[in-house]
Amino acid sequence: MSEKGAVVIDLKFEQREMHAALEGAFPGRTILHAADKSADLSQARYAVMWKPDVDLFQRAPNLDVLFSGGAGVDSILATPGLPDRPIVRFVDQSLTTRMSEWVVLQALSHLRQMPTYLAQQRRSEWRELAQPEAKDLTVGVMGLGKLGLDSVAKLKIMGFNVVGWSRSLKVIEGVETFDADGLNAFLGRTDILVGLLPLTPETRGLFDSSLFAKLRQGGALGKPVFINAGRGGSQVEADLVSALETGMLGGASLDVFEQEPLSKESPFWSMDNVIVTPHAASASDIRALFRNAEVQMQRFEAGEALQHVVDRTAGY
Ligand code: NDP
Ligand code: OXD
């Protein structure tokens, strides 16, 4: 066994890409694979995981630190036998930047009525629609963490009015912010709602009919729009379909779903006012993930504090 702690990898990512990224990663460490069902994982001190196997912690009972393959940790927290060890989540500038690109793309797509123009194109229909400017709309961002704060900044650059909501109140120059108790006031100002929340007991099922009903009606786009790249478990999809059908919502961009992959029978696929992406708003760069984990392992082994540790009580 090497002197440096061994690492078990349990990443449900594209396997060829993951194996290529492993070349040269974790120098001096033994690398074990949870996918090898005959492997003895008892020597592993670290686990790097995404949607871990249900028996991972049983097979690897001597872990010191757990590393999430993504920013969200809901699937790790839900894994049976989760040991009482620090969980380090993935925080990465490229992940953050690409999420903001996706958020701005969706906000602009609805502002410039792209779903309607694409539907018209399919019918060879030449019809110009109203063109409000970004400053005529307010985007409300729910979740002002690593991803939410960067999205707020980039939405502002595009000219949108932006308001923000988080559990604890944030101070952001030029942005009206609300804490958990200010939810109704926040929603009442919002034309385009952006979800960048982790999935926790508090956020599960948060995006339901009663929440959609509180969004501002009659803004520059006529009806509010819902954009979600946080977690699908935060949205009540039956309510969302009904809100889109009745016109309570004018459109949606969805990257995450209650069940993934999204079922072929889902009505979202064929709704003209809905943009679907396959949980692809911002995928982890696997090489960066391994680099990041190695840095944290070295910190841990040098007796330094780990960074980006999950607050188990809060659930993110
Ligand atoms: P952070 O932990 O940095 O931020 C989370 C934010 O959500 C914080 O502002 C937090 O408030 C707020 N929050 C959490 N719970 C509540 C609540 N009950 N009420 C109000 N606000 C709440 O996370 P990230 O920004 O890094 O990531 C956010 C999520 O994005 C991830 O958990 C993951 O689910 C999702 N994600 C999706 C990806 C995709 O490709 N679709 C890619 C990467 C991440 P406070 O500031 O007060 O703590
Ligand atoms: C993440 C994700 O949480 O990709 O990083 O969903």
Side-chain angles (χ1 to χ4, degrees):
M1 185 172 132
S2 63
E3 283 186 339
K4 293 175 160 186
V7 189
V8 57
I9 306 291
D10 188 2
L11 291 169
K12 309 303 187 302
F13 291 158
E14 206 279 309
Q15 291 299 291
R16 213 156 34 116
E17 198 188 329
M18 189 201 74
H19 284 284
L22 264 179
E23 278 169 33
F26 305 119
R29 298 183 190 280
T30 301
I31 298 176
L32 304 159
H33 291 275
D36 175 0
K37 291 298 172 195
S38 64
D40 172 10
L41 307 184
S42 62
Q43 62 168 309
R45 287 183 63 197
Y46 307 107
V48 183
M49 61 197 128
W50 181 247
K51 300 185 179 161
D53 292 343
V54 286
D55 62 352
L56 177 70
F57 299 128
Q58 203 185 331
R59 291 178 65 205
N62 298 312
L63 297 173
D64 287 331
V65 184
L66 318 180
F67 292 92
S68 170
V73 291
D74 43 293
S75 74
I76 294 175
L77 293 177
T79 303
L82 178 71
D84 186 12
R85 293 284 182 274
I87 304 170
V88 172
R89 67 191 197 93
F90 186 41
V91 173
D92 176 58
Q93 188 54 53
S94 170
L95 184 92
T96 302
T97 299
R98 284 178 288 115
M99 177 58 82
S100 298
E101 290 170 357
W102 185 89
V103 168
V104 171
L105 172 69
Q106 303 311 320
L108 287 174
S109 296
H110 290 283
L111 170 71
R112 300 311 303 264
Q113 317 216 39
M114 283 312 292
T116 309
Y117 281 126
L118 289 171
Q120 289 185 187
Q121 182 179 338
R122 285 190 287 272
R123 298 192 295 269
S124 309
E125 182 182 345
W126 181 276
R127 185 164 66 92
E128 193 183 325
L129 304 167
Q131 288 181 19
E133 211 183 310
K135 71 172 175 50
D136 303 325
L137 288 171
T138 297
V139 182
V141 179
M142 291 179 83
L144 298 174
K146 297 285 179 205
L147 304 183
L149 286 175
D150 195 67
S151 288
V152 164
K154 286 163 184 170
L155 288 161
K156 291 280 292 176
I157 290 169
M158 291 313 303
F160 289 103
N161 295 306
V162 183
V163 295
W165 184 79
S166 52
R167 209 154 63 104
S168 56
L169 193 64
K170 300 278 174 298
V171 178
I172 310 171
E173 203 187 326
V175 176
E176 194 177 2
T177 50
F178 300 82
D179 64 9
D181 292 338
L183 181 59
N184 290 350
F186 162 86
L187 294 170
R189 283 168 180 66
T190 295
D191 301 302
I192 298 181
L193 180 66
V194 174
L196 283 173
L197 288 167
L199 182 62
T200 70
E202 284 181 16
T203 64
R204 184 174 288 283
L206 183 64
F207 301 118
D208 64 2
S209 304
S210 69
L211 182 144
F212 298 135
K214 291 174 189 155
L215 292 166
R216 176 156 65 190
Q217 288 286 339
L221 289 176
K223 293 169 186 168
V225 166
F226 176 56
I227 295 175
N228 193 16
R231 280 291 181 268
S234 296
Q235 69 206 14
V236 179
E237 291 182 2
D239 287 9
L240 183 48
V241 169
S242 146
L244 289 159
E245 283 174 348
T246 60
M248 185 191 280
L249 288 174
S253 288
L254 305 171
D255 185 58
V256 288
F257 299 90
E258 285 173 354
Q259 296 294 329
E260 295 177 7
L262 182 62
S263 133
K264 292 234 184 286
E265 284 71 48
S266 170
F268 293 132
W269 291 114
S270 53
M271 294 176 113
D272 276 349
N273 53 353
V274 175
I275 297 170
V276 168
T277 54
H279 200 140
S282 189
S284 296
D285 170 338
I286 311 179
R287 286 181 201 278
L289 169 67
F290 291 157
R291 272 198 305 275
N292 199 295
E294 174 62 30
V295 168
Q296 298 297 326
M297 289 171 198
Q298 287 176 15
R299 289 178 72 96
F300 182 76
E301 288 167 357
E304 292 167 26
L306 293 164
Q307 296 167 307
H308 315 305
V309 175
V310 171
D311 173 347
R312 294 264 195 125
T313 313
Y316 62 96

